[in-house]
Amino acid sequence: KVKKYILFDHDGVLVETEHWYYLANKRALASLGIDLPQDAYIVNMANGVSAWEAARVSGISESEIKRGRELRNRYYREYLVTEDIEIEGVLETLDVLAVEYRMGIVTTSKPPDFALIHERRSILGHMEFHLTRGDYERAKPHPEPYLRGLQRFGATAAETVVVEDSARGLQSAIAAGIDCIVVANKFTEAHDLSKATAKVATFRELPSALKDLSS
């Protein structure tokens, strides 16, 4: 079946934000006296466990956790503005893909973070739409986000490919019945990505991986 549509995950696929989100969580948790080693964070992420579970377990109150998360959001937004979050080859590759495919973004990113990321970037110029955390009820791994993406295109699952980097996103795509190409990311290399339709080491390899799917 010829593929005509691509639904991209966002964080870790189009921009390199995973590391900064981890650091923002680590700093905010440290202010509550809790250490967050990167390997533990990555395992939790793979299993959909919140980084803030450790704070709950150590008896920190919900109001303090809420304050800690607000601090995390502030740190994260500072990083988004000051740090280099580009992924090599993304813009050139999107130029190539735009000739043959219609494209959109389906992300768990919060609208304010998403807006900040794209204030001075041209990625959205290639996208027909983007769905952020407020645009659907049930987040990945539930299929709803990707099913909404199909609706926005008026596309069938068979004509569409999802590009993801995480187990949660892959599960969402599979549950929606859509082929999924996984792009390698060190933050998700511990995830079970065995059910991906294809895997690529870099974003630049997407055009050839997509051609293979359509052939």
Side-chain angles (χ1 to χ4, degrees), residues 18-37:
E18 311 272 23
H19 171 68
W20 303 109
Y21 194 65
Y22 159 66
L23 276 192
N25 275 293
K26 184 179 169 69
R27 274 176 71 191
L29 279 161
S31 74
L32 298 175
I34 288 170
D35 184 37
L36 182 64

Side-chain angles (χ1 to χ4, degrees), residues 65-82:
I65 287 174
K66 184 172 185 280
R67 209 165 53 238
R69 284 183 138 144
E70 281 161 7
L71 193 59
R72 183 264 323 267
N73 293 345
R74 204 173 78 223
Y75 290 149
Y76 183 48
R77 283 164 199 161
E78 279 169 22
Y79 289 141
L80 291 180
V81 173
T82 57

